[in-house]
């Protein structure tokens, strides 16, 4: 990781202005434009960490920044006269007013006389749940206030560029330092709470322009987290190649925009790596559901179901292909899911089946997954004639049979598509789909188009929205194109990331705007995530797959957006060791 510590006087960029004021010297150890990732400007965990700086730390920071300028001090003598008093940010004071709490800033603001700017920044950050670092950087990139040595009052009147649109003057109702600070950070929470109301969305591909001029073009960007989406909604442009050729300079080819580039480089300069995340600090309590093996863990997860279950689903605990479709079905049916061996019913499963005393048992997979002897043994736990096998010629037919067994024609407006060649993306989609009452259909992700049987099933279900779980390496572009061409389908969106963990985060970003509990399961094998997805989905909670030794940064970043949450770990310490139970971050 780079460490950037030298002082940096950033570009002055209004939300739409093409005027560039830069210090081209840059830091001694500078971040390079090649490090820029347009889909991940800053981690959610850092962006929403309102306790990252105290008022006294903010004050010290302002004093240090001013001392590192070429003047080394405030320069009030540069005033244009008595109507232009010069007060540097470290010395700025004002009497603030009360602002009532609301859904976006639950802490509100309690006004006071003669408050320092550092206090106003800290109180607004705490009230709205956004890092003071975000405010400091926004003040610099918009009005260069942090280290300006002779700022006039007009800079304070529109300090964060809030309510200063691209096409007109600033709204006078939001003029003034306190309002600019408070309503500026509040806007980032509005973006977070109401993401679909704005142009740039996290977890999906967005077209991000280079410049206000449409002739300058742009590129498709997978925006990986909410903080990045919020920054693009606040300043809707990305830097082009010219702007990135020197991230501390002002090169301009007429299509160069600097706001988000400067936010990113300023964070590096002042606070270090903006992508870094710590442990899951927002997890308040955690529990572990586990057994001596995967069968015992699955049985433990069904203990919340009362005896006399209408149906129990049974899947193989040894191989995943035929089992992938069952979790959202069990969740939608509010039914238990247990695991068996190919050639035997484990004692933990037998005991749980006896306790559940189901009317009906549905076995997923053909004899290659659950052999005839095991199937016959299962009949003892259901009412006479109450057992059904859903097994096709291959994993894809099995998935279609399972979907048709539960969903009637015209009953599923949303359908998830996942590769049947591997399990991680399908498992991440299971809880999301189950919460929405949607099926997950397995396809051969390497195919160039959608097979006729899958097309017929999607049409039969009446699906209008199709969600693809995974990137193009998991489910091809040809499949996506073919899905969009199915009559009645009006939306196809892809939720994918750089790896299985980033995909898990993207799926949950899309499906769960809020959560009070999260489930963590090992992403290197399928059984605990498969059975845990049912529990998570019924509870309306996301399930994330994680590494066996730590929590990937993409997962930590997505969980951070929920605020305080409880966590449930699925599986014993042999699967998820103590480093995961304490939410250690992968380094």
């Amino acid at each position: 990781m780079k460490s950037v510590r030298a002082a940096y006087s950033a570009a002055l960029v209004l939300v739409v202005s093409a005027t560039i004021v830069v210090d081209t010297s840059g830091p001694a150890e500078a971040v390079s434009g090649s490090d820029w990732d347009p889909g991940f400007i800053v981690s959610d965990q850092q962006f929403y960490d309102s306790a990252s700086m105290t008022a006294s730390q903010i004050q010290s920071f302002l004093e240090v920044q001013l001392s590192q300028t070429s003047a080394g001090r405030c320069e009030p003598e540069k005033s244009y006269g008595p109507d232009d008093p010069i007060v540097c940010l470290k010395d700025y004071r004002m009497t603030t007013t009360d602002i009532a709490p609301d859904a976006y800033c639950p802490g509100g603001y309690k006004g006071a006389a003669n408050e320092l700017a550092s206090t106003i920044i800290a109180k607004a950050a705490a009230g709205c749940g956004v890092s003071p670092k975000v405010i400091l950087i926004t003040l610099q990139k918009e009005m260069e206030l942090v280290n300006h040595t002779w700022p006039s009052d007009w800079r304070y009147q529109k300090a964060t560029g809030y309510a200063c649109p691209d096409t007109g003057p600033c709204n006078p109702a939001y003029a003034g330092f306190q309002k600019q600070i408070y309503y500026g950070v509040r806007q980032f929470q509005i973006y977070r709470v109401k993401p679909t109301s704005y142009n740039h969305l996290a977890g999906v591909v967005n077209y991000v322009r280079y410049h206000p001029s449409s002739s300058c073009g742009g590129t498709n960007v997978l925006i990986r987290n909410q903080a990045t989406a919020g920054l693009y909604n606040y300043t809707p442009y990305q830097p082009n190649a010219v702007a990135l050729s020197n991230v501390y300079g002002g090169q301009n080819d007429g299509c160069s925009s600097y706001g988000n580039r400067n936010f990113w480089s300023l964070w590096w300069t002042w606070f270090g790596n903006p992508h870094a995340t710590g442990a899951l600090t927002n997890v308040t309590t955690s529990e572990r559901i586990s057994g001596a093996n995967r069968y015992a863990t699955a049985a433990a997860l069904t203990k919340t179901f009362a005896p006399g279950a209408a149906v129990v689903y049974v899947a193989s605990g040894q191989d995943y292909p035929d089992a992938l479709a069952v979790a959202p079905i069990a969740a939608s049916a509010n039914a238990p899911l247990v695991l068996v061996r190919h050639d035997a019913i484990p004692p933990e499963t037998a005991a749980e089946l006896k306790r559940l005393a189901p009317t009906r048992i549905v076995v997923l997979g053909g004899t290659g997954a659950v052999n005839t002897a095991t199937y016959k043994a299962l009949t003892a736990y259901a009412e006479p004639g109450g057992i059904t096998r859903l097994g096709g010629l291959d994993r894809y037919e099995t998935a279609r049979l399972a979907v048709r067994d539960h969903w009637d024609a015209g009953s599923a407006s949303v359908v998830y598509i996942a590769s049947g060649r591997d399990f991680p993306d399908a498992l991440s989609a299971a809880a999301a789909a189950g919460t929405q009452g949607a099926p997950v259909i397995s396809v051969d992700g390497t195919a160039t188009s959608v097979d006729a049987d899958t097309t017929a099933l999607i049409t039969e279900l009446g699906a209008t929205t199709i969600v693809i779980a995974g990137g193009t390496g998991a489910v091809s572009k040809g499949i996506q194109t073919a899905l969009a061409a199915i009559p009645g389908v009006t939306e196809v969106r892809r939720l994918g990331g750089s790896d299985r963990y980033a995909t898990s985060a993207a799926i949950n970003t899309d499906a769960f705007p809020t959560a009070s509990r999260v489930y963590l399961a090992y992403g290197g094998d399928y059984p605990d995530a498969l059975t845990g997805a049912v529990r998570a989905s019924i509870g309306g909670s996301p399930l994330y797959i994680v590494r066996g030794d730590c929590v990937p940064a993409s997962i930590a970043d997505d969980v951070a957006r929920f605020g305080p949450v409880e966590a449930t770990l699925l599986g014993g310490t042999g699967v998820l060791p103590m480093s995961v139970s304490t939410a250690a971050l992968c380094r």
Side-chain angles (χ1 to χ4, degrees), residues 218-271:
T219 61
N220 288 324
V221 175
L222 172 62
I223 296 179
R224 291 162 52 193
N225 66 331
Q226 184 54 51
T228 299
L231 288 171
Y232 280 127
N233 284 321
Y234 199 87
T235 305
Y237 314 110
Q238 62 169 313
N240 63 2
V242 172
L244 291 172
S245 63
N246 178 355
V247 296
Y248 299 100
Q251 289 88 343
N252 195 328
D253 63 353
C255 288
S256 302
S257 297
Y258 298 85
N260 284 313
R261 183 206 72 171
N262 289 344
F263 187 100
W264 168 77
S265 58
L266 275 168
W267 200 299
W268 269 107
T269 304
W270 286 347
F271 307 119

Side-chain angles (χ1 to χ4, degrees), residues 380-540:
Y381 299 97
E383 292 187 358
I387 188 167
T388 303
R389 183 194 290 273
L390 301 174
L393 295 176
D394 59 22
R395 63 192 68 184
Y396 308 112
E397 186 178 9
T398 295
R400 294 191 296 270
L401 288 171
V403 169
R404 283 193 170 97
D405 182 71
H406 180 71
W407 279 278
D408 295 328
S411 65
S413 60
V414 178
V415 167
Y416 281 71
I417 298 291
S419 172
R421 287 181 170 266
D422 204 356
F423 55 82
D425 297 343
L427 294 177
S428 294
T435 301
Q436 300 171 67
V440 176
I441 301 175
S442 297
V443 298
D444 181 353
T446 64
T448 58
S449 187
V450 180
D451 61 275
D453 291 328
T454 299
T455 298
L457 176 58
I458 291 170
T459 301
E460 178 185 323
L461 291 169
T464 57
T465 298
I466 297 178
V467 182
I468 299 174
T472 54
V475 179
S476 72
K477 290 182 180 179
I479 290 176
Q480 181 172 354
T481 300
L483 290 170
I486 295 174
V489 172
T490 58
E491 178 186 10
V492 177
R493 63 179 185 270
R494 182 186 294 274
L495 305 175
S498 57
D499 57 24
R500 63 186 60 187
Y501 309 109
T503 293
S504 184
I507 290 168
N508 287 312
T509 296
D510 178 74
F512 297 94
T514 62
S516 59
R517 176 175 294 278
V518 299
Y519 286 75
L520 306 178
Y522 177 48
D525 204 355
Y526 77 97
D528 295 340
L530 178 73
T531 52
V534 180
R535 176 79 163 262
S537 183
I538 289 173

Side-chain angles (χ1 to χ4, degrees), residues 163-179:
C164 294
D166 290 0
T167 55
C170 298
N171 186 338
Y174 297 99
F177 188 74
Q178 181 198 10
K179 289 182 178 179

